[in-house]
Structures are given as C-alpha cells and as structure tokens.
Amino acid sequence: MSAVRPWAAGRAVPDPKWHLDIGGGDGTVLLNHGFLIESNNIWMQTGILRGLVATSHDVITIWEHFVRKVGAQQALGHDATLLLADVLASTMDAAGRASYQIVSAHGGVPPSLIAALNDARIERLVILHPPPQTLVAGSAVLSISPPAGPTAIELDLGLDCDHLHIDGSVPSEGLVLDVREVSIPVLIIANRAHQAGATELARLIPRAALALTDEDVSTSTSSQRTVDAITGFLST
C-alpha cells in the first residue's frame, strides 16, 4: 500500500465536508454513497445509519463529497472514481481515527474498493448493490474510466451530456486496482438488479461473503434483515 496520494495523479483534492454520529466508540464506520447529490439520505432512509449507531458504532457520513469544486466534468459525476477514493482517504485523515470500516452503496463501491486496496486503515468493507460497470469487462481490475454516456446526475436533472469521451484521471504510480488483492473481510449484499456483478466480485475477492436478497431494486430501501446483516458483520 505504497501508492502516492492523491491517487488521481496531479489533481487537487478538495477538503471534505463530513458529519460524525457518536454511537459509543465500538469502531468507526464510514458510509460512502458515491457521487449522487444529497444521496447520503439513503443511509437514513434505509435505517443503516440508525442501526450502526444503535450497535455502538461511530458513523461518518460525507456530504456531497464537494467534488463539484474540482472541475466541470466532475461536477456532473464524470471521471469521479479516483477522486472520490481520494476524498475517502482525506476524510479518514481529518477524522483522525486509527482504523475504519466502510459501508458503500452503488456508485460508492469502486472508490471504496480502491481505498480498501490502498489504505491499511480499513479493516472491513460492506458492498451494497455494486453497479455493473465496477470492473473492466472480463477482468478483475476496477474500472476508473469515465462513463460512455450520461451520468445519473445528468439523467436526474434532465441535462445534456457535454462530457462524453473526456480523458479520465491517471492513477498514481503504484495504485492497486486488482480486486483479487483485497485482503480484508468483505460482505457483498445485492438485490435482484445487481446480483450478476455481485456474484462476480464475490468470486474474485478472496475473503468475500455474498448475500443475495429479493428486495426492491431501489438502493433507498432495505429490510431489517439487511441492516442486521451489516451491523452483525461489522460487530464481529
């Protein structure tokens, strides 16, 4: 884990804005929802934040990641994966804890895997509903390329996609992107819409456990069973 930060070579990382909920100090959990404006609401809506605090975890949420300060292409979610991984690491620096556990959802999955591969402070990782473009097709390498079409933000806001075919960020020398090198315990939970990608990740990550659910395709809803699986995994 010797890659030089920032992991997006030559790009400045904005200071993160984050919030800490105190649950009792039984480990610190960082929630990472990826690049979706205000989508950290999902942690409240699903009951995951409440469940973690109730089981004595201190919980950090990152508010909108503040990557919109970086440039136009990042402002709408293009080319954000390496930058979000850097923001996760910067948040851990700012919080000053010795170790962390991460719960990631949807677009937050690739940045969280980058952090897990390259930051020794991360002890456990939960992956919820990994997106189908998590890996480079036919490989075990994380995809860090900008999307080929509109981002979720552009679709949600009804904006034209003006950043197709942009050049992606270049990873710093030594950055590990092969998920077969993840050495920490990982819990992967996937609903019906995300089972194929989740199954492939579980096959490649050495210490991964896979839990498939019949829940609704929305990542903004979770059953108590899923909340219990997350809190149980992070409490062992």
Side-chain angles (χ1 to χ4, degrees):
M1 297 190 180
S2 58
V4 177
R5 286 175 48 203
W7 293 326
R11 187 178 297 284
V13 180
D15 293 333
K17 181 181 179 182
W18 52 279
H19 176 77
L20 174 64
D21 286 280
I22 301 295
D26 187 15
T28 304
V29 180
L30 181 58
L31 301 180
N32 179 33
H33 56 274
F35 192 98
L36 292 173
I37 295 174
E38 298 288 6
S39 69
N40 48 26
N41 289 337
I42 71 170
W43 304 118
M44 290 73 139
Q45 294 167 354
T46 57
I48 291 171
L49 174 58
R50 181 173 60 254
L52 288 168
V53 171
T55 50
S56 300
H57 293 89
D58 294 343
V59 182
I60 294 173
T61 48
I62 301 175
W63 295 89
E64 299 183 24
H65 292 293
F66 273 47
V67 297
R68 284 172 290 175
K69 295 180 180 179
V70 176
Q73 62 194 39
Q74 285 80 25
L76 297 174
H78 290 272
D79 191 31
T81 298
L82 280 177
L83 184 62
L84 293 182
D86 278 322
V87 171
L88 289 178
S90 296
T91 303
M92 290 188 282
D93 292 345
R97 304 295 176 93
S99 62
Y100 297 87
Q101 304 175 101
I102 294 179
V103 180
S104 60
H106 199 60
V109 170
S112 296
L113 280 165
I114 291 173
L117 283 162
N118 295 279
D119 196 313
R121 292 173 292 185
I122 300 172
E123 295 183 332
R124 285 177 180 257
L125 172 63
V126 176
I127 292 172
L128 289 170
H129 319 306
Q133 305 85 10
T134 298
L135 300 175
V136 175
S139 80
V141 176
L142 287 167
S143 175
I144 59 173
S145 300
T151 64
I153 290 176
E154 288 169 327
L155 293 173
D156 287 346
L157 299 179
L159 301 175
D160 292 332
C161 181
D162 294 328
H163 303 293
L164 290 179
H165 313 300
I166 61 174
D167 293 331
S169 297
V170 177
S172 296
E173 184 176 356
L175 189 72
V176 180
L177 296 173
D178 190 325
V179 299
R180 293 172 297 187
E181 297 190 39
V182 174
S183 60
I184 60 174
V186 178
L187 173 63
I188 304 172
I189 302 174
N191 55 25
R192 292 186 295 273
H194 300 87
Q195 288 183 4
T199 300
E200 179 65 4
L201 279 176
R203 183 182 72 83
L204 293 168
I205 296 174
R207 300 176 67 186
L210 177 63
L212 301 178
T213 78
D214 291 325
E215 293 178 358
D216 184 83
V217 296
S218 171
T219 56
S220 64
T221 58
S222 287
S223 67
Q224 187 60 46
R225 180 180 176 184
T226 294
V227 175
D228 291 344
I230 293 170
T231 57
F233 175 74
L234 297 180
S235 298
T236 56

